Every structure is written in C-alpha cells, then in structure tokens.
Amino acid sequence: SRAEELNAIAEAKKIIVEATSGAAKISYGFSQVSLLQTARSQLRSGTDLANFAALRLVRSLAQKQNSPALALLAQRMGAALRSGDDPFEKVRGLISDMIQKLEQEAEEDATHKAYCDKELKESNEKKDAKTAEIAKQTARIDK
C-alpha cells in the first residue's frame, strides 16, 4: 500500500542520512583538489609539462615506496611549481637537498654497521678465549 511505501522510503532516507551525515560537514580545501585539475589550467609549455611529469613521477614513487620523505619532496615540488618563479631550479635544489640527506643517512648507517661489526668481532674473540679457557680448565680437572 501507499503508506507502507512511504514508510519504507522514510526509513531508507533515515539510514542514508545516518550513513553519510559526516560527509556534509567535511570542507574541501585547495590541497585536496586533484593535481590534474590544477595542472590542466597551468600547463602552457613543454617545460610545464616536463615539470608536471617529474612531479607525478616523484608522487607515484612516494606512494609505491610508502616514503614520507619522497611525499614531502613531491609536496615541495608542487609548491615550487605553483609559485611561478623558476620552478625547475627550485626542484633541482629540492632534489639535491634530498640526495644530500639520503647520503648522510647512508653514511651514518655505514658508521653504525662498522661499529657493530667491530663490537661483534671483539665479543666473539672474547667468547672463543673464554671457551678455550673453560676447555683447558676442564681438561686439567679431569686429570
């Protein structure tokens, strides 16, 4: 009957409102706009296209590698591209800074590994010496 249909529609509407009530309160800022949407209006030359491709590559690498450092680099690259100054120079600077940081981290890791290897070697030598001493004392007691 008509009353049952209206009740069913009212119940469905109530469920939909409950399930999506938070979506109406969300505000969408400029940072959430698709890169493609903003890029279409700004790509005017081959250089702009190359910069966009480099940015897209870094962003995809950040997602694939799950790397916060690459994601930050991509964000800074995007900001540099939007600033209007010589973005490619800024991007090269950002990439150089990132490379320096990664090289420094690799050097620190290598130093730490060398320290650990040295300590492990010394520990094994001490262990071998103590094991030999135990064997020597055990043989002496057995006589």
Side-chain angles (χ1 to χ4, degrees):
S1 77
R2 178 81 176 149
E4 290 174 349
E5 289 176 358
L6 291 175
N7 286 338
I9 290 173
E11 183 67 27
K13 183 178 177 183
K14 179 182 173 186
I15 292 171
I16 290 172
V17 168
E18 288 174 0
T20 61
S21 64
K25 297 176 185 174
I26 296 175
S27 64
Y28 297 97
F30 181 71
S31 64
Q32 294 172 327
V33 174
S34 168
L35 178 65
L36 202 52
Q37 290 172 344
T38 58
R40 283 184 186 145
S41 64
Q42 295 175 355
L43 295 178
R44 289 179 173 68
S45 69
T47 304
D48 291 341
L49 186 59
N51 292 341
F52 176 72
L55 177 60
R56 197 176 74 217
L57 175 71
V58 172
R59 280 191 180 169
S60 68
L61 280 174
Q63 287 176 346
K64 288 178 186 175
Q65 300 294 324
N66 196 19
S67 170
L70 283 175
L72 180 61
L73 176 65
Q75 184 180 15
R76 288 182 177 173
M77 285 173 65
L81 290 173
R82 285 188 297 273
S83 72
D85 295 338
D86 184 14
F88 200 61
E89 186 63 36
K90 288 183 180 182
V91 169
R92 281 193 299 242
L94 290 171
I95 291 172
S96 296
D97 292 344
M98 176 84 163
I99 289 171
Q100 283 180 333
K101 181 180 175 187
L102 291 174
E103 286 175 346
Q104 181 182 5
E105 288 176 359
E107 184 179 324
E108 291 170 358
D109 288 346
T111 303
H112 183 72
K113 183 180 181 328
Y115 170 79
C116 290
D117 289 345
K118 177 185 156 228
E119 291 295 316
L120 185 62
K121 180 183 173 189
E122 289 175 3
S123 295
N124 285 336
E125 288 172 356
K126 287 180 184 178
K127 178 184 164 199
D128 292 343
K130 297 292 182 186
T131 304
E133 182 66 28
I134 290 172
K136 180 181 173 185
Q137 294 298 329
T138 304
R140 193 180 118 229
I141 292 173
D142 287 343
K143 285 185 181 182

